[in-house]
Amino acid sequence: MGRSVQKLTESVSLIASKETWVEGLAIQQLIKTSELACMQHVAGMPDLHPGRGYPIGAAFFAVNRIYPALVGNDIGCGMSLWQSSLKLSKVKLDKMANKFKQIEQPLDETWAQTIAERSQHANKRLATALLFQKLEALKQEQMNREEQQRWQQHWELQRGNPRRSFKGEKFIPLD
């Protein structure tokens, strides 16, 4: 089976065997996306393929920034990455394949709420709500700074004798 996580650059990984064919343009887009501001790490999956400017079939980790174009651009692709506590020496691919042969069957209605909570659309709505929250906070900060500046200008107005300036609570000579 070999190693499936390839380190392409310091912040770019490709989770696919060396035998997996991946388009060169998709790798270029993956590396270019890793160079975006605040981007910490990107990982291409086995189904990585080029998109319109950004790769499809990848995961992106950015700090303090949201890139809406990277969210939900491959809805329904069907790829999953599962982590297991099994030791590699204990994994028997034929037994595992047999256990998971029903995995592509439709889920029954007991899964409806889980699916709704984890849907791409729910994630996109959450990302949008968080983005609006952040924008509102930034707007409020800007308004507070402007208000503070107005008060600062008010306290620095010259009053009466041009040789004395009113600053804060008392008059201060200008010389």
Side-chain angles (χ1 to χ4, degrees):
M1 195 189 307
R3 186 168 160 82
S4 295
V5 179
Q6 302 171 45
K7 188 172 183 176
L8 303 180
T9 71
E10 196 60 37
S11 62
V12 180
S13 301
L14 177 62
I15 302 172
S17 70
K18 297 235 186 251
E19 294 79 37
T20 303
W21 180 81
V22 177
E23 290 182 58
L25 179 57
I27 298 290
Q28 289 173 1
Q29 287 180 343
L30 195 66
I31 292 169
K32 191 69 175 168
T33 303
S34 75
E35 297 167 358
L36 292 172
C38 301
M39 192 63 69
Q40 298 295 307
H41 199 87
V42 300
M45 303 299 143
D47 71 329
L48 182 70
H49 54 283
R52 288 188 217 145
Y54 301 105
I56 297 172
F60 309 95
F61 175 58
V63 176
N64 295 325
R65 188 161 292 191
I66 297 171
Y67 290 98
L70 301 178
V71 178
N73 64 350
D74 198 16
I75 295 172
C77 74
M79 290 298 297
S80 296
L81 177 65
W82 300 85
Q83 183 174 351
S84 168
S85 59
L86 292 174
K87 295 193 182 303
L88 188 58
S89 61
K90 300 285 183 188
V91 174
K92 305 293 182 229
L93 289 180
D94 54 339
K95 284 186 177 180
M96 191 173 279
N98 193 32
K99 281 187 177 184
F100 291 114
K101 67 182 175 188
Q102 300 294 324
I103 200 159
E104 294 204 15
Q105 297 301 314
L107 298 173
D108 62 25
E109 56 279 347
T110 60
W111 286 88
Q113 180 158 353
T114 303
I115 291 168
E117 289 170 358
R118 295 183 181 187
S119 75
Q120 292 278 343
H121 296 291
N123 289 339
K124 204 165 198 173
R125 279 193 304 274
L126 177 60
T128 303
L130 290 172
L131 179 61
F132 281 120
Q133 235 177 10
K134 182 70 173 176
L135 290 173
E136 282 298 317
L138 291 172
K139 183 178 172 183
Q140 187 62 43
E141 285 177 31
Q142 178 66 27
M143 288 172 49
N144 290 343
R145 277 195 302 274
E146 289 172 0
E147 179 71 15
Q148 199 173 25
Q149 286 174 347
R150 282 194 297 275
W151 276 107
Q152 188 64 31
Q153 288 171 349
H154 172 76
W155 291 114
E156 291 178 0
L157 286 176
Q158 283 191 352
R159 303 187 187 217
N161 183 351
R163 301 189 63 39
R164 295 174 62 164
S165 174
F166 185 73
K167 197 166 196 167
E169 298 179 6
K170 58 185 179 180
F171 283 101
I172 299 173
L174 291 176
D175 32 295

